[in-house]
Amino acid sequence: MPGTPVRFENIVKSFGRVEVLRDITLDVPGGVTTCIVGPSGSGKSTLLRCANLLERPQSGRILLGGADILAAGVDIDAVRARVGMVFQHFHLFSHMSVLDNVAIALRKVRGQGRDEAETAARAKLADVGLAGFESRRPSALSGGQQQRVAIARALAMEPEVMLFDEATSALDPELVKGVLAVMRDLAGGGMTMIVVTHEMRFAREVAGQVVFIDQGRIVEHAPPDAFFDHPQHPRLRHFLEQVL
């Protein structure tokens, strides 16, 4: 079954007088990883946060599987159950065990009983390489392990789309590899993913399309080989010269 597509259509988002997203239109194919790159402050994370309604644009439409999630009367919690998000900082509950961190949304949002929720949580922790870590507190884990708990927590809700907002940028370099491996596995399994990242090798190897955003606008987007080897826009060429 193909993954769920996402379409951003004429998205405009401002904070006060500052226009952060300027008429963004982008198709995210189902079952494909779309990597978004660009300088800090270009609007990448804001676009991602609009996709699960953490931010609401002033105008435009966001279609999730063809349905406009910005339409009047849409159930925000239902949208967020379909769209999982992993942040730069892990946002785990420090007073809870790893298992409870993953199971709590299943109990509170899905209404599952403790046994059912914990069974599902154990399975997702195993999927991200953390079987045997269930009883630990987040403080006893490395940053990379904490981020994998956060991924397991998002996956436990069985989302149709996964959003990653610079999920490796707060990690020490030696911890990045394990998190990217989990993300590669998800991409290989056909999950629709939108990934804001500074990891250019990951974007080249895993993405179906790479999108360059600068000053709130999409400057260029293309399949990875064309994006990295034959950039068309001078601004993208300059960016790649700085980061590669």
Side-chain angles (χ1 to χ4, degrees), residues 73-194:
V74 166
D75 184 337
I76 292 177
D77 289 335
V79 170
R80 290 180 181 158
R82 297 175 66 192
V83 183
M85 187 160 185
V86 178
F87 300 88
Q88 178 178 348
H89 301 288
F90 324 122
H91 299 305
L92 300 178
F93 295 110
S94 60
H95 64 288
M96 291 184 179
S97 69
V98 164
L99 184 66
D100 286 341
N101 264 281
V102 178
I104 186 170
L106 292 172
R107 296 174 59 197
K108 299 294 186 182
V109 178
R110 289 282 175 85
Q112 293 184 3
R114 178 178 292 275
D115 289 347
E116 183 183 6
E118 290 187 354
T119 296
R122 288 178 192 278
K124 293 306 178 187
L125 287 166
D127 287 346
V128 300
L130 290 177
F133 288 75
E134 293 87 355
S135 63
R136 298 193 191 186
R137 294 285 176 92
S139 59
L141 305 180
S142 71
Q145 289 167 335
Q146 290 184 58
Q147 191 60 292
R148 283 188 277 157
V149 174
I151 294 172
R153 178 180 59 189
L155 291 175
M157 298 296 287
E158 302 290 345
E160 299 168 37
V161 176
M162 282 287 286
L163 312 175
F164 291 87
D165 188 9
E166 299 188 9
T168 60
S169 62
L171 303 178
D172 292 334
E174 66 267 26
L175 302 177
V176 169
K177 186 177 179 180
V179 174
L180 291 180
V182 172
M183 294 168 67
R184 279 188 174 90
D185 287 345
L186 287 173
M191 173 68 75
T192 305
M193 303 197 329
I194 309 174

Side-chain angles (χ1 to χ4, degrees), residues 21-98:
L21 298 175
R22 305 177 182 188
D23 197 27
I24 293 276
T25 293
L26 175 66
D27 281 303
V28 176
V32 171
T33 296
T34 293
C35 284
I36 300 177
V37 304
S40 297
S42 58
K44 308 183 301 295
S45 293
T46 300
L47 182 64
L48 211 62
R49 291 168 66 86
C50 288
N52 75 340
L53 303 181
L54 287 173
E55 301 288 355
R56 184 173 283 270
Q58 274 76 26
S59 62
R61 300 197 305 163
I62 300 175
L63 305 178
L64 177 63
D68 184 5
I69 65 173
L70 298 175
V74 166
D75 184 337
I76 292 177
D77 289 335
V79 170
R80 290 180 181 158
R82 297 175 66 192
V83 183
M85 187 160 185
V86 178
F87 300 88
Q88 178 178 348
H89 301 288
F90 324 122
H91 299 305
L92 300 178
F93 295 110
S94 60
H95 64 288
M96 291 184 179
S97 69
V98 164

